[in-house]
Amino acid sequence: MKVLITGASGLIGQALVHALEKRGDETVPVTRSASAADRAVRWDPQRGELDPGDVSGYDAVVHLAGEGIGDKRWTETHKARVLDSRVRGTTLLTESLAEVDRPPAVLVSASAVGFYGHRDDEVLTEQSEGGDDFLSDVCRQWEEATQPARDAGIRVATIRTGLVMTPEGGIFPRTLLPFRLGVGGRLGPGSQWWPWITLQDEIAAILYVVDNDGLSGPVNLSAPNPVTNAEFTRTLARVLRRPGVFSVPSAALRLILGEEMASELLLVSQRVLPRKLLDGGFAFAEPRLEPALRNMLGKPGA
Ligand SMILES: NC(=O)c1ccc[n+]([C@@H]2O[C@H](COP(=O)([O-])OP(=O)(O)OC[C@H]3O[C@@H](n4cnc5c(N)ncnc54)[C@H](OP(=O)(O)O)[C@@H]3O)[C@@H](O)[C@H]2O)c1
């Protein structure tokens, strides 16, 4: 297959390029960077610049690009960039795909479990309603922006991804640090559900969605056994053989990160199940947290 990938330079994108090329597929990145490889397609979502001729003739498109959500404090400017980069980028890409002579068979477009908002212990599947906070609104608009591709007859799947766990980046190395320093512990009440997934399973699931003609619409990408933050903390402490008895009060997190960012990224509770992947027979390499952490950290069980 010939696969076009936006956000190919990111955490998930790099691993996806590697996996596709390993199985013999050809990949072409779409990037804002002027210094990328010659074969890359250049675009500027902010200015609405993308040559439709550059997106014609692919079998599949995977769209991952967007301003980092957890990288910076959520000022109004940063929030606008988070939203705009996704809505403008997705609209530009899908309108371009809709007008080419040879559109792809499938568009897999990133979204996030943030779609569901804060839901306590409720079990969430693709059929559940969306939430009503900032990230829910971002995800809703991000998913809706894929409509031009759907109207053009392209199979569209929006992948509602959970917390991607890998030592290479994202949330996991940041979670790990306090444990390594011996001051690890739960965040806020610890009762909030964390829909985690290993990077390896995230990539396998993206390939599964690309390859599986029967999958479209929202697809949850998270492990089938979500855990509470307290259980995550206990498990990580056990695997690392470090204490995990501390706790960071919600008020402190809100002070450090700001009310909205703390509430929607760390204190939010999302007990998400990957219903469509499970019903389709997708086999997770790491369905359970403890073996997943042991593998990632090179700490075999006793
Ligand atoms: N990692 C997670 O745990 C997680 C969880 C849920 C959802 N997701 C979503 O999945 C997607 C990929 O995640 P990731 O962790 O691989 O992201 P990432 O490492 O932050 O990479 C995102 C890529 O998007 C491009 N980008 C950055 N800012 C942009 C902007 N303002 N406008 C347009 N493009 C921009 C960059 O590519 P260029 O510089 O080459 O243009 C970058 O490599 C993201 O949309 C993310 O929100 C990730």
Side-chain angles (χ1 to χ4, degrees), residues 161-177:
T161 292
L163 302 167
V164 176
M165 298 286 164
T166 167
E168 280 145 48
I171 189 174
F172 190 59
R174 287 180 241 173
T175 311
L176 213 52
L177 185 65

Side-chain angles (χ1 to χ4, degrees), residues 45-110:
Q46 198 59 31
R47 291 166 176 248
E49 290 172 4
L50 173 64
D51 182 347
D54 283 344
V55 300
S56 184
Y58 291 89
D59 300 299
V61 175
V62 181
H63 171 44
L64 301 168
E67 181 79 21
I69 290 178
D71 305 352
K72 290 189 189 131
R73 215 178 147 91
W74 284 10
T75 58
E76 289 308 312
T77 310
H78 184 60
K79 281 166 62 186
R81 282 184 67 90
V82 165
L83 176 67
D84 282 1
S85 64
R86 287 177 170 75
V87 176
R88 281 178 200 238
T90 309
T91 305
L92 177 62
L93 177 67
T94 56
E95 286 182 351
S96 304
L97 291 174
E99 71 179 70
V100 299
D101 293 338
R102 293 168 57 216
V106 59
L107 166 69
V108 176
S109 192

Side-chain angles (χ1 to χ4, degrees), residues 6-14 29-33 36 43-46 63-69 71 81-82 84-86 89 110-114 139 142 159-166 169-171 197 199 202 221:
T6 76
S9 58
L11 185 69
I12 298 173
Q14 286 184 45
V30 183
T31 179
R32 298 163 304 157
S33 166
W43 74 335
D44 186 337
Q46 198 59 31
H63 171 44
L64 301 168
E67 181 79 21
I69 290 178
D71 305 352
R81 282 184 67 90
V82 165
D84 282 1
S85 64
R86 287 177 170 75
S111 181
V113 292
C139 293
W142 193 6
I159 47 170
R160 293 181 182 159
T161 292
L163 302 167
V164 176
M165 298 286 164
T166 167
I171 189 174
I197 183 169
L199 179 60
E202 169 77 11
L221 265 59

Side-chain angles (χ1 to χ4, degrees), residues 94-95 97-99 144-156:
T94 56
E95 286 182 351
L97 291 174
E99 71 179 70
E144 282 171 6
T146 61
Q147 191 59 38
R150 216 171 281 119
D151 291 343
I154 299 168
R155 174 167 69 89
V156 176

Side-chain angles (χ1 to χ4, degrees), residues 121-196:
D121 292 333
E122 184 183 345
V123 173
L124 300 165
T125 72
E126 291 87 350
Q127 290 194 322
S128 304
E129 299 277 300
D132 56 11
D133 58 16
F134 167 66
L135 278 186
S136 314
D137 188 44
V138 169
C139 293
R140 189 176 301 109
Q141 293 194 47
W142 193 6
E143 293 186 8
E144 282 171 6
T146 61
Q147 191 59 38
R150 216 171 281 119
D151 291 343
I154 299 168
R155 174 167 69 89
V156 176
T158 49
I159 47 170
R160 293 181 182 159
T161 292
L163 302 167
V164 176
M165 298 286 164
T166 167
E168 280 145 48
I171 189 174
F172 190 59
R174 287 180 241 173
T175 311
L176 213 52
L177 185 65
F179 285 84
R180 291 224 149 113
L181 297 174
V183 292
R186 65 185 159 78
L187 301 177
S191 53
Q192 68 275 34
W193 289 87
W194 273 20
W196 62 278

